[in-house]
Amino acid sequence: MENKRPVIGITCSTKDIGGLETAYLHYSYTTSVMNAGGVPVILPMADKEIAREWAALCDGILLSGGEDMDPQQIGAEPHPNLGKVIPERDKTEMDLIEFAKEQKIPIFAICRGIQVLNGALGGTLYQDVYDEMEKVIKHYQDGARDAATHSISIEEGSLLAEIIGSNETSVNSFHHGAVQEVAPGMKVTAKAPDGIIEAIESEDFNKNWILAVQWHPEDMTEVSEEMHRLFTYFVKAAEERAGKKETVSSS
Ligand code: MN
C-alpha cells in the first residue's frame, strides 16, 4: 500500500521529564501539519546515517522551534546572553538540511528553525538582538501564543507575500536571536519595523523549496487563515515532490 498523503518529518527537542531525557514537541506542529493534509512524523536526535534514512522517508522536512543554536556550529563564539544549546540537535538538523537540499525535499523552518537553516546554509546569526542591535522592539512577547504582537513588512513578489496575500501582516514573537547575514541562495522576504529579519526563502523554488519564518505560525493556525496557508503551501510542495519521486522510481 502506498502513502496517499505526504509524510512530513518534524524535528523535535529533548527535555528532562521526571529524570528521563525525552523527545519533546508541541502538538501545535503536528496538528497544523495534519490540518494541512500532511502526515506528521516526529524525528528525534540521531546520527547522520539515520538522517539519511529519514530523507528517503520524508516528503517534507519541518524544522521546529526550541533552544538557541550552538554558535560553534557556524564558527562563532558564544554571546554572554546565549541560552541553552543542544549541539546534538543542531547536528541532526544540519544533516537533515544537507540531505533535503541535495534531494530537493521541501523545507519549512520555524523560529529556531530559520536560524539553524540560515547557519547551516552559510549565513550568520545574531545571538541576542537586544544587545547586538539598536532600538529593538519587543520580540519575546508575554502575550498568548496565538496573539500577534508585532507587524512585519513583506517583500513584494515573494512566495511569502503570495501565501499571506498582502505586503504586511502581524505575527507572534518568541525569540532573542535572529538571522544576521542571509545565506547564499536565500533572500530576505520579511522584516519587523526595527529591521530584524522575520522570513527568508529560496531565491529559486525550482531548485529548492525552502521557506523559513522567525515567528510561530503553528500556534496561530487555529485563529489565522494566513498562518494555516503557510502549512498548506508547504504540504502541497511536499506532495508535488513525492509525486516526482514516484515517477522516478517507476521508470
Ligand atoms: Mn519577532
Side-chain angles (χ1 to χ4, degrees):
M1 197 182 88
E2 280 182 26
N3 288 335
K4 290 193 173 63
R5 295 164 70 178
V7 174
I8 306 297
I10 311 175
T11 61
C12 69
S13 194
T14 180
K15 200 176 178 130
D16 183 316
I17 297 178
L20 296 171
E21 209 51 45
T22 305
Y24 179 83
L25 182 76
H26 292 168
Y27 268 111
S28 51
Y29 291 100
T30 55
T31 306
S32 294
V33 165
M34 288 189 283
N35 288 343
V39 177
V41 175
I42 300 174
L43 312 179
M45 296 185 297
D47 64 26
K48 195 159 189 168
E49 285 316 300
I50 298 294
R52 194 189 303 274
E53 297 287 336
W54 279 332
L57 175 78
C58 297
D59 304 309
I61 296 289
L62 172 49
L63 302 170
S64 65
E67 299 74 14
D68 292 342
M69 185 187 202
D70 180 0
Q72 293 179 103
Q73 307 288 6
I74 56 170
E77 297 298 333
H79 183 280
N81 298 348
L82 178 71
K84 182 187 176 185
V85 296
I86 308 173
E88 297 81 5
R89 180 179 178 188
D90 298 338
K91 288 201 180 78
T92 299
E93 291 181 328
M94 289 170 86
D95 289 340
L96 280 167
I97 292 163
E98 181 189 328
F99 293 130
K101 207 184 159 202
E102 207 175 87
Q103 297 170 39
K104 297 182 183 293
I105 300 167
I107 301 174
F108 182 29
I110 290 175
C111 199
R112 162 197 162 85
I114 190 177
Q115 296 175 30
V116 173
L117 176 85
N118 191 62
L121 296 180
T124 61
L125 302 173
Y126 289 114
Q127 295 177 43
D128 186 62
V129 291
Y130 300 106
D131 187 64
E132 295 176 276
M133 291 180 77
E134 303 271 310
K135 294 186 178 160
V136 170
I137 62 167
K138 189 173 172 97
H139 285 274
Y140 208 105
Q141 71 190 52
D142 291 302
R145 297 285 303 185
D146 64 2
T149 62
H150 75 66
S151 64
I152 57 168
S153 55
I154 303 172
E155 197 64 31
E156 214 166 313
S158 64
L159 179 69
L160 183 66
E162 182 188 320
I163 294 171
I164 299 296
S166 170
N167 292 338
E168 55 180 357
T169 191
S170 288
V171 299
N172 59 4
S173 197
F174 300 93
H175 61 109
H176 77 123
V179 169
Q180 187 176 26
E181 282 167 46
V182 68
M186 303 292 291
K187 62 180 180 184
V188 176
T189 56
K191 281 184 175 177
D194 54 14
I196 286 184
I197 293 172
E198 291 277 341
I200 61 175
E201 66 184 46
S202 299
E203 277 178 341
D204 182 358
F205 276 89
N206 292 320
K207 219 163 148 195
N208 283 108
W209 197 102
I210 305 176
L211 186 65
V213 300
Q214 184 58 71
W215 67 95
H216 278 280
E218 81 285 3
D219 287 320
M220 302 177 78
T221 52
E222 310 252 321
V223 297
S224 161
E225 187 58 33
E226 295 174 3
M227 299 308 162
H228 169 64
R229 274 202 302 275
L230 281 168
F231 284 86
T232 55
Y233 267 72
F234 168 54
V235 169
K236 186 89 176 45
E239 196 171 20
E240 279 168 15
R241 193 266 175 192
K244 280 180 198 147
K245 190 173 65 179
E246 274 168 26
T247 314
V248 171
S249 60
S250 64
S251 63

